[in-house]
Amino acid sequence: MKQKIGFMGLGIMGIPMVANLLKAGYPVMVYNRSPEKADPLVKQGAGLASSPQALAKAADVVIAMVTGPEALNDLLWGPEGAGGAFNHSKVFINMSSVAPSYTRQLAQELTPSGVIFIDAPVSGTKKPAEDGTLLILAGGPQAKVKELEPLLLAMGKKVIYCGAAGQGSMMKMFINLLLGIMMEGFAEVLNFGRIGGLSLEAMLDTVYSGPLNCAMFQMKAPNLENKTYPTAFPLKHMTKDAKFVVDTAFEMGAPVPVGQVLVHLYRTGVAQGWGDEDVSAIARVLEYFSPKA
Amino acid sequence: MKQKIGFMGLGIMGIPMVANLLKAGYPVMVYNRSPEKADPLVKQGAGLASSPQALAKAADVVIAMVTGPEALNDLLWGPEGAGGAFNHSKVFINMSSVAPSYTRQLAQELTPSGVIFIDAPVSGTKKPAEDGTLLILAGGPQAKVKELEPLLLAMGKKVIYCGAAGQGSMMKMFINLLLGIMMEGFAEVLNFGRIGGLSLEAMLDTVYSGPLNCAMFQMKAPNLENKTYPTAFPLKHMTKDAKFVVDTAFEMGAPVPVGQVLVHLYRTGVAQGWGDEDVSAIARVLEYFSPKA
Amino acid sequence: MKQKIGFMGLGIMGIPMVANLLKAGYPVMVYNRSPEKADPLVKQGAGLASSPQALAKAADVVIAMVTGPEALNDLLWGPEGAGGAFNHSKVFINMSSVAPSYTRQLAQELTPSGVIFIDAPVSGTKKPAEDGTLLILAGGPQAKVKELEPLLLAMGKKVIYCGAAGQGSMMKMFINLLLGIMMEGFAEVLNFGRIGGLSLEAMLDTVYSGPLNCAMFQMKAPNLENKTYPTAFPLKHMTKDAKFVVDTAFEMGAPVPVGQVLVHLYRTGVAQGWGDEDVSAIARVLEYFSPKA
Amino acid sequence: MKQKIGFMGLGIMGIPMVANLLKAGYPVMVYNRSPEKADPLVKQGAGLASSPQALAKAADVVIAMVTGPEALNDLLWGPEGAGGAFNHSKVFINMSSVAPSYTRQLAQELTPSGVIFIDAPVSGTKKPAEDGTLLILAGGPQAKVKELEPLLLAMGKKVIYCGAAGQGSMMKMFINLLLGIMMEGFAEVLNFGRIGGLSLEAMLDTVYSGPLNCAMFQMKAPNLENKTYPTAFPLKHMTKDAKFVVDTAFEMGAPVPVGQVLVHLYRTGVAQGWGDEDVSAIARVLEYFSPKA
């Protein structure tokens, strides 16, 4: 018997994730502040809840995929919030990207209700969400994560167990810091080579032919080539995530010398008005710093 | 008819490169300051020259693979230097890693002799040199590079044409800057995650399962895991290369905000006495900056 | 008729500030979590309140000088908190160092009570507090700040009007960022010169003889000379302040490229266990990064 | 009996320095590539040499004050160079700003001639050169520096003995690094405060009223206020000096984490076309990185 799912948050990520749950045969009820977003999913068989609390009452497993702490707090603790219907027989999975410190605080707030709390942010954006190939970074009780794996694998290709609740978010930051470094690094070296007179073609050929080659470079190279940055992962979100990482690192005393520089670089991109472009628009920042041709 | 090769510099790279030339059927004469290094190659059929000039006289194509500008200048312009035997019927290929500015100056110094000058540094270290899978980054007259491709492919898997002489070195710096950034980035995020309580296993699993995965990470991960850094590419060479890049960027006005930080980080590793360890020992620098457990 | 003062927080700064208020003839009542700290002040004529609220009831002007937001929140909104006794006939002056964002939020929380809120952090540490030569950076209604000037000048040598409530804190961060940069800069150049073979004496002579000379360098030079760092302003507080600045700059999009590097450097000092030493112990961080002699 | 002086290099600095030597009663002969620059000095009593060598033959003490190593090499070793007339009865004082490594190499090149070599770069720009209040940073044999003090004090207010030849240049870099840091720091905090809503007047009042106040800030504040940067010390020279420092630090392994950032920032200013403005135009770089109002 498949669990009844309640899904809150129907953005770029949420809609395809629900679609994949439905395809996998899960009964899903959805809630979104703007209910019209649910229309296509309702056509595919989803139910529509009138409030987060109604959704949580009807569901075995409540999943949230929203833009950040504020939205999540509203859904959980606002009027008719889901939190009011939580109890020890239910599971709450937060798949939204938030700081580990927020997740640990959330875990404490949820404790009195008895709900089983899993934090399971994802690595991957729109396309993997549609293809069901997200990487799911799960924190919480290990046995429970194991038990929920079939459900999670309806949305992703792999579940990585990261430790207690909060460690999923920590892993998300870990991988996003690496993304931020590699994306900036790619843009930095291509800009350096360009100024030094190398052709983009030869530079990419060199990268692709050696041990530094990775799928991300191949995905982003066309943006850098065309100097257009259609948004898969917005620069402003990378900026926010980089700030999360650097703040967390500061608390722990972990040195992130490159991360610290990145915050400044990505933030400059936002300040120049490119926050809604793709993260690969960091190339614009490097060009902005360069001598004008 | 295969060209007669004269090869100067029998270090970690030079020895297997000559061995591969011999295997491919090229007649090779070698020169090295310490001639005993040539013994195994002589057994495989190489001739041994008494001086760089003797070598250059006997060869159609002279190849140099030495540690830097000083060694190269000695071989070319020192007593009985190869430069004295250069003429327009000969080709000189410098495969040593040097700065683009040095290469451009070298090109000028070679002009009066009429020798055809190719700069062709390689990407790849000991293992690819042995396997003949180096990536060869060639600068010089394009038709000549094309013509020499069979010879170059005896030592490598691919030749990338980079532009005029000097641009091979520029491409080498381009790719080494990316290597330096990715190596440090990998070490930085793993150290961050470790302090944040993530297991190395889960972190590597996360990297390997996503679009940031690359062969270099897989090669270097065991070093970071075992905290031993057997040298494939020495930290001190990465440091020197990073300085080349940053100096070249300064001349051109290219921003290398992360490259600039890297110089400091790698240099700190050298200052602490880890210069002869592998470049992956940058992990020791990050640990050195971290709170003691 | 002098205002009746209620003073909360009897630390390194608070004690001499109260002593100066008493000397200037103000009636002062004090409150401190550990009441024994009040003993010397009681001998000098101060009254001792049993709770923050009792203190606030008795006073015209309530002053807080505590270590940060947590302590301040406790005193204001904890059990028997001062906030409960605030009304439109009273003035509340926060002289503790806090972030501008916190101050603006505090201003909002205080609004319903009608209390007149002044934020007035100080520049200067123990010695200026004792000598009554603090620099007072005041934010709030300008006429009210003017009116309170005689009271503030009992503790300091000068009042600088900075704008609305919150701008005192902003100015504090402004000047502390400059302090952090100059202190690190002084240590960085002296360490550079030392490694380059210059004598400390000649370096100081050069600084003191030119337009970069400032009182702070003269105060801190003996610490650097003796390699002992008796605490006037703790390294950990500088670290916290630098983080405030960088966070505020991030929110606003202000570039603080050097500030950002400083956070890392000062934080490294704290991670190495030197947080309770004077800010001038940043010299230890630079030595820590240097080659061992 | 005053020494006969030969002075090479009649730029912004050289002209007033020669004028001060003449005022102090020294017989001075001058040489400059563009001889018309000498006219006003000839009117004041200077002799005009037809070549550097003629000048060196006639002088007891040869002083050079030129823009860098290339100009200096020309004057010393070019056709009719001064170097050809050097011998053990003459003194050569280089007051031009060059890297310590260059100075040490120059010392070696001068050794065969027997000339006594002093390196004596100055701290201070146009105005102090005119007023005879330069700070002279002297390296070389200590007794000889002592003996030459009266001559040097005709051009400056103080001579600081820095060690062997090369250490004068080292000290120059030491003080210029501090200048670069403080100038950028001043611009960085004023830009931060401006974005945070503080008035320039209140910010300057705060700086001037505390222990961070220094003459340089007071000199440069009007530039920042008016956003015009009349050149006392060009941004491009600061950039070059910062690069010298960072290169020297790299060689020695000295950490200059802020210096390294500065090179990037000042270089960006040059890349944007502001190299000929005053060093205080670093404020333009910070504005360039800021959100547009």
Short mmCIF file of all heavy atoms in Angstrom, two decimals, chain C residues 222-244:
data_model
loop_
_atom_site.label_atom_id
_atom_site.label_comp_id
_atom_site.label_asym_id
_atom_site.label_seq_id
_atom_site.Cartn_x
_atom_site.Cartn_y
_atom_site.Cartn_z
N PRO C 222 54.20 48.22 20.59
CA PRO C 222 54.88 47.44 21.64
C PRO C 222 54.40 45.98 21.70
O PRO C 222 55.19 45.07 21.93
CB PRO C 222 54.52 48.18 22.93
CG PRO C 222 54.21 49.58 22.49
CD PRO C 222 53.59 49.44 21.13
N ASN C 223 53.13 45.74 21.46
CA ASN C 223 52.63 44.36 21.43
C ASN C 223 53.34 43.56 20.36
O ASN C 223 53.78 42.43 20.59
CB ASN C 223 51.13 44.31 21.14
CG ASN C 223 50.29 44.97 22.22
OD1 ASN C 223 50.83 45.45 23.22
ND2 ASN C 223 48.98 45.01 22.03
N LEU C 224 53.44 44.15 19.17
CA LEU C 224 54.07 43.45 18.06
C LEU C 224 55.56 43.24 18.35
O LEU C 224 56.13 42.22 17.99
CB LEU C 224 53.87 44.23 16.76
CG LEU C 224 52.41 44.48 16.36
CD1 LEU C 224 52.33 45.17 15.01
CD2 LEU C 224 51.60 43.20 16.34
N GLU C 225 56.15 44.22 19.01
CA GLU C 225 57.58 44.14 19.33
C GLU C 225 57.83 43.03 20.36
O GLU C 225 58.75 42.23 20.20
CB GLU C 225 58.02 45.50 19.90
CG GLU C 225 59.51 45.65 19.95
CD GLU C 225 59.93 47.12 20.01
OE1 GLU C 225 59.04 48.00 20.03
OE2 GLU C 225 61.15 47.38 20.05
N ASN C 226 57.01 43.01 21.41
CA ASN C 226 57.23 42.04 22.49
C ASN C 226 56.57 40.69 22.23
O ASN C 226 56.72 39.76 23.00
CB ASN C 226 56.65 42.59 23.80
CG ASN C 226 57.24 43.95 24.13
OD1 ASN C 226 58.39 44.22 23.81
ND2 ASN C 226 56.43 44.82 24.75
N LYS C 227 55.78 40.62 21.18
CA LYS C 227 55.00 39.41 20.90
C LYS C 227 54.16 38.97 22.09
O LYS C 227 54.01 37.79 22.38
CB LYS C 227 55.91 38.27 20.43
CG LYS C 227 56.71 38.66 19.19
CD LYS C 227 57.24 37.46 18.47
CE LYS C 227 57.95 37.91 17.19
NZ LYS C 227 58.13 36.84 16.24
N THR C 228 53.64 39.96 22.82
CA THR C 228 52.63 39.68 23.85
C THR C 228 51.49 40.62 23.55
O THR C 228 51.70 41.76 23.12
CB THR C 228 53.14 39.95 25.28
OG1 THR C 228 53.54 41.32 25.34
CG2 THR C 228 54.30 39.05 25.63
N TYR C 229 50.28 40.16 23.77
CA TYR C 229 49.10 40.88 23.29
C TYR C 229 48.09 41.09 24.41
O TYR C 229 47.00 40.54 24.38
CB TYR C 229 48.49 40.11 22.11
CG TYR C 229 49.53 39.84 21.05
CD1 TYR C 229 50.21 38.62 21.02
CD2 TYR C 229 49.89 40.81 20.12
CE1 TYR C 229 51.21 38.38 20.08
CE2 TYR C 229 50.88 40.57 19.18
CZ TYR C 229 51.53 39.36 19.16
OH TYR C 229 52.52 39.13 18.24
N PRO C 230 48.46 41.90 25.42
CA PRO C 230 47.52 42.16 26.51
C PRO C 230 46.26 42.82 25.94
O PRO C 230 46.34 43.76 25.15
CB PRO C 230 48.28 43.11 27.42
CG PRO C 230 49.41 43.65 26.61
CD PRO C 230 49.71 42.65 25.55
N THR C 231 45.12 42.32 26.37
CA THR C 231 43.86 42.63 25.71
C THR C 231 43.30 44.01 26.02
O THR C 231 42.92 44.29 27.16
CB THR C 231 42.81 41.58 26.11
OG1 THR C 231 43.40 40.30 25.92
CG2 THR C 231 41.57 41.70 25.25
N ALA C 232 43.25 44.87 25.01
CA ALA C 232 42.48 46.10 25.12
C ALA C 232 41.16 45.88 24.39
O ALA C 232 40.08 46.17 24.91
CB ALA C 232 43.23 47.27 24.51
N PHE C 233 41.24 45.32 23.20
CA PHE C 233 40.04 45.00 22.41
C PHE C 233 40.29 43.58 21.89
O PHE C 233 41.21 43.35 21.11
CB PHE C 233 39.93 46.00 21.24
CG PHE C 233 38.77 45.77 20.31
CD1 PHE C 233 37.48 45.63 20.80
CD2 PHE C 233 38.96 45.70 18.93
CE1 PHE C 233 36.41 45.43 19.93
CE2 PHE C 233 37.90 45.51 18.07
CZ PHE C 233 36.61 45.36 18.58
N PRO C 234 39.48 42.62 22.36
CA PRO C 234 39.81 41.22 22.05
C PRO C 234 39.68 40.89 20.56
O PRO C 234 38.75 41.35 19.90
CB PRO C 234 38.79 40.41 22.85
CG PRO C 234 38.07 41.36 23.73
CD PRO C 234 38.28 42.74 23.19
N LEU C 235 40.58 40.06 20.09
CA LEU C 235 40.57 39.57 18.71
C LEU C 235 39.20 39.00 18.35
O LEU C 235 38.71 39.20 17.25
CB LEU C 235 41.65 38.50 18.55
CG LEU C 235 41.87 37.98 17.13
CD1 LEU C 235 42.61 39.01 16.30
CD2 LEU C 235 42.66 36.67 17.14
N LYS C 236 38.58 38.29 19.27
CA LYS C 236 37.28 37.68 18.95
C LYS C 236 36.20 38.73 18.73
O LYS C 236 35.28 38.50 17.94
CB LYS C 236 36.87 36.66 20.02
CG LYS C 236 36.55 37.24 21.37
CD LYS C 236 36.19 36.13 22.37
CE LYS C 236 35.96 36.76 23.74
NZ LYS C 236 35.98 35.75 24.81
N HIS C 237 36.29 39.86 19.40
CA HIS C 237 35.31 40.92 19.16
C HIS C 237 35.54 41.57 17.79
O HIS C 237 34.60 41.87 17.07
CB HIS C 237 35.35 41.98 20.26
CG HIS C 237 34.77 41.48 21.55
ND1 HIS C 237 34.63 42.25 22.67
CD2 HIS C 237 34.29 40.25 21.91
CE1 HIS C 237 34.10 41.54 23.65
NE2 HIS C 237 33.90 40.32 23.21
N MET C 238 36.80 41.76 17.45
CA MET C 238 37.11 42.28 16.12
C MET C 238 36.56 41.32 15.05
O MET C 238 36.02 41.75 14.04
CB MET C 238 38.63 42.42 15.95
CG MET C 238 39.04 43.01 14.61
SD MET C 238 38.66 44.76 14.47
CE MET C 238 37.54 44.75 13.06
N THR C 239 36.71 40.03 15.31
CA THR C 239 36.23 39.01 14.38
C THR C 239 34.72 39.12 14.21
O THR C 239 34.20 39.10 13.09
CB THR C 239 36.59 37.61 14.93
OG1 THR C 239 37.99 37.57 15.19
CG2 THR C 239 36.22 36.52 13.93
N LYS C 240 34.02 39.24 15.33
CA LYS C 240 32.56 39.38 15.31
C LYS C 240 32.15 40.65 14.57
O LYS C 240 31.24 40.63 13.74
CB LYS C 240 32.05 39.42 16.77
CG LYS C 240 30.56 39.30 16.95
CD LYS C 240 30.17 39.63 18.41
CE LYS C 240 30.45 41.10 18.73
NZ LYS C 240 29.93 41.56 20.03
N ASP C 241 32.84 41.73 14.86
CA ASP C 241 32.51 43.00 14.21
C ASP C 241 32.78 42.93 12.71
O ASP C 241 31.99 43.44 11.90
CB ASP C 241 33.33 44.14 14.82
CG ASP C 241 32.78 44.57 16.18
OD1 ASP C 241 31.85 43.89 16.67
OD2 ASP C 241 33.29 45.55 16.74
N ALA C 242 33.90 42.31 12.34
CA ALA C 242 34.21 42.19 10.91
C ALA C 242 33.11 41.37 10.22
O ALA C 242 32.70 41.68 9.10
CB ALA C 242 35.57 41.52 10.72
N LYS C 243 32.61 40.35 10.91
CA LYS C 243 31.52 39.55 10.33
C LYS C 243 30.25 40.40 10.19
O LYS C 243 29.56 40.31 9.16
CB LYS C 243 31.25 38.33 11.21
CG LYS C 243 30.27 37.32 10.63
CD LYS C 243 30.80 36.75 9.33
CE LYS C 243 30.06 35.53 8.86
NZ LYS C 243 28.63 35.63 8.75
N PHE C 244 29.92 41.19 11.20
CA PHE C 244 28.79 42.13 11.12
C PHE C 244 28.90 42.98 9.86
O PHE C 244 27.96 43.14 9.10
CB PHE C 244 28.82 43.12 12.29
CG PHE C 244 28.11 42.67 13.54
CD1 PHE C 244 28.23 43.42 14.71
CD2 PHE C 244 27.33 41.53 13.58
CE1 PHE C 244 27.59 43.04 15.88
CE2 PHE C 244 26.69 41.14 14.75
CZ PHE C 244 26.82 41.90 15.88
#
